[in-house]
Amino acid sequence: MGALKVFILAGEPSGDALGGALMAGLNREAPDVTYDGIGGPLMQAQGLTSRFDMSELTVMGIAEVLPKYRHLKRRIAETAQAVIDTRPDVLITIDSPDFSLRVAKLVKAGSDIRTVHYVAPTVWAWRPGRAKKMAKVIDQVLALFPFEPPYMEAEGMECDFVGHPAATVPRATAAEQAAFRAHHGLEAADPLVLVLPGSRRGEITRMSPVFGQALGRLAQTRPALKMVLPAAGSVVDLVHNEVAKWPVAPLVLDPTGKDHDAALTEKRIAFAAADVALATSGTVSLELAAAGTPMVSAYDLHWLSRAIISRMVTTDTGSLINHVTDTRVVPEVVGKDFNVENVVSAMEGLLAGAEDQRAAMELTMDRLGRGGKDPGLRAARAVLGRLG
């Protein structure tokens, strides 16, 4: 094989991080590699010129996608045609299945280009039929979790567990945590609560009012309670607007104008410096596990999305910690049960003790590859190892 041509797609920040690490691995293992596709700043730093701004694809939920459907459909068609026209050695799609798998379907219909999808669909949680459907357009899956390959292989796809990037994140030292608290005047915080209302605009506007009221209720009986809320740069203005309505004000970590690496480091330290967290359910739970900070996990969807998706769920937990360890130690407040009273009750229980959860978080990190090879390098080798 001569110079390797890779067409690579990501649709949101988490996918950009996976893509950037994978590309770093490919750059190391295949020095003549060239890229085309769509991605964010981390992928662009590894050599990608994005065909359009990745943020166009960062939507979630049926109700949220519908208003943008025609535009997304056009982007899907033009991206697939670009893949067919440029004839890469491999198409790598990263998460964002509403976009990625539709592109892969069109590419397979018009070519024999090899397709790799990074992040297995959560068929163990809902809509198990997705694996069979996906097998028609995807040749190889790169899985983040060790229990996923059998689901993919059962439908005829090649699948490699490559580890989860959360397991590689170093935990902030006690000195770093103390310095963070001192810098922000949080030495006397008891407890210090990390608040994570989500990274998407729809999530934040849906979750924030209940989070704010529940934390205000907790603060009435805990006058030394303080909160810190790390905000993504793309939604920081919305976060400021939402928390201005809360009965108690959190410290918002605003990355605007800060060096990217410095902002990420401060966020990582904040995760570890907190005593407990109230988090919108998602992969952020693994960041909390890496930091060793116990959490209450909460989630709600737009009522239409909730009504449809609730009929497709096949598991009693949405927590990745609970899934990886086959426990139910992370308390969850979701769907119709997501209200102020239930969030307060769950947080009270968490503050009373969380040793079981801490043990489960350590086990999670071990099972996701802590101490092993970098997941981006493992992913790169998995892709290269299966190319003809």
Side-chain angles (χ1 to χ4, degrees):
M1 183 185 292
L4 180 66
K5 291 173 60 179
V6 174
F7 203 108
I8 187 165
L9 311 173
E12 54 187 315
S14 59
D16 182 46
L18 291 171
L22 168 59
M23 290 169 67
L26 288 171
N27 289 337
R28 171 176 160 177
E29 298 292 299
D32 293 332
V33 64
T34 59
Y35 301 104
D36 195 352
I38 301 148
L42 299 177
M43 291 167 66
Q44 291 170 36
Q46 294 297 329
L48 175 69
T49 299
S50 187
R51 284 180 171 256
F52 56 84
D53 195 311
M54 184 186 73
S55 65
E56 289 187 30
L57 307 178
T58 308
V59 292
M60 181 181 183
I62 295 156
E64 291 80 4
V65 171
L66 286 175
K68 299 183 178 181
Y69 177 73
R70 291 180 67 182
H71 178 71
L72 283 172
K73 192 173 180 181
R74 186 167 64 251
R75 284 301 199 194
I76 288 164
E78 68 182 43
T79 302
Q81 193 59 52
V83 178
I84 294 169
D85 291 344
T86 57
R87 296 290 308 171
D89 296 295
V90 61
L91 166 64
I92 303 174
T93 56
I94 306 172
D95 211 0
S96 302
D98 289 331
F99 182 78
S100 294
L101 299 183
R102 284 177 169 85
V103 170
K105 181 179 180 179
L106 293 176
V107 168
K108 278 298 187 186
S111 75
D112 61 354
I113 294 167
R114 180 170 175 80
T115 54
V116 177
H117 189 65
Y118 197 171
V119 183
T122 52
V123 295
W124 37 270
W126 71 298
R127 285 175 59 202
R130 284 176 294 166
K132 185 183 292 292
K133 189 175 179 182
M134 184 170 150
K136 297 175 182 176
V137 300
I138 295 296
D139 299 307
Q140 177 187 7
V141 179
L142 306 176
L144 300 183
F145 299 102
F147 52 79
E148 292 177 320
Y151 291 96
M152 304 298 108
E153 291 165 350
E155 301 300 342
M157 290 175 283
E158 300 164 336
C159 187
D160 298 275
F161 167 58
V162 298
H164 199 290
T168 69
V169 177
R171 186 170 297 176
T173 65
E176 288 174 322
Q177 295 174 45
F180 172 84
R181 286 194 176 220
H183 177 72
H184 292 291
L186 299 170
E187 301 100 318
D190 183 23
L192 179 58
V193 180
L194 187 73
V195 189
L196 302 162
S199 58
R200 300 179 180 91
R201 301 186 73 84
E203 285 177 341
I204 293 165
T205 53
R206 223 171 11 252
M207 306 299 290
S208 178
V210 173
F211 275 23
Q213 291 177 56
L215 292 163
R217 187 89 59 85
L218 284 170
Q220 290 175 3
T221 56
R222 290 177 169 79
L225 181 147
K226 300 290 183 184
M227 299 174 289
V228 59
L229 193 165
S234 59
V235 293
V236 69
D237 289 342
L238 174 62
V239 167
H240 280 299
N241 289 338
E242 288 293 323
V243 301
K245 308 167 192 172
W246 290 9
V248 285
L251 165 69
V252 176
L253 298 183
D254 185 342
T256 306
K258 292 181 181 175
D259 173 78
H260 179 72
D261 289 340
L264 285 179
T265 298
E266 183 176 50
K267 177 184 171 184
R268 177 175 60 83
I269 296 171
F271 271 56
D275 297 304
V276 294
L278 173 59
T280 293
S281 181
T283 54
V284 73
S285 65
L286 298 179
E287 295 180 64
L288 289 166
T293 301
M295 73 202 82
V296 165
S297 179
Y299 202 71
D300 197 14
L301 286 163
H302 184 281
W303 69 266
L304 175 60
S305 299
R306 187 206 301 168
I308 295 170
I309 289 172
S310 64
R311 290 167 171 76
M312 305 175 184
V313 171
T314 59
T315 179
D316 65 343
T317 179
S319 165
L320 291 167
I321 312 300
N322 290 346
H323 272 294
V324 172
T325 60
D326 195 24
T327 65
R328 297 297 181 265
V329 295
V330 174
E332 298 173 274
V333 187
V334 298
K336 64 183 187 327
D337 296 324
F338 176 63
N339 58 48
V340 173
E341 290 72 22
N342 288 341
V343 172
V344 170
S345 176
M347 289 295 291
E348 292 279 12
L350 183 68
L351 289 165
E355 288 313 304
D356 287 350
Q357 190 178 150
R358 288 189 174 91
M361 291 190 294
E362 295 302 308
L363 179 58
T364 296
M365 289 298 102
D366 290 341
R367 289 184 173 173
L368 296 189
R370 180 166 56 187
K373 285 190 171 59
D374 174 74
L377 180 60
R378 291 174 65 176
R381 289 175 174 171
V383 170
L384 296 172
R386 293 189 187 269
L387 283 176

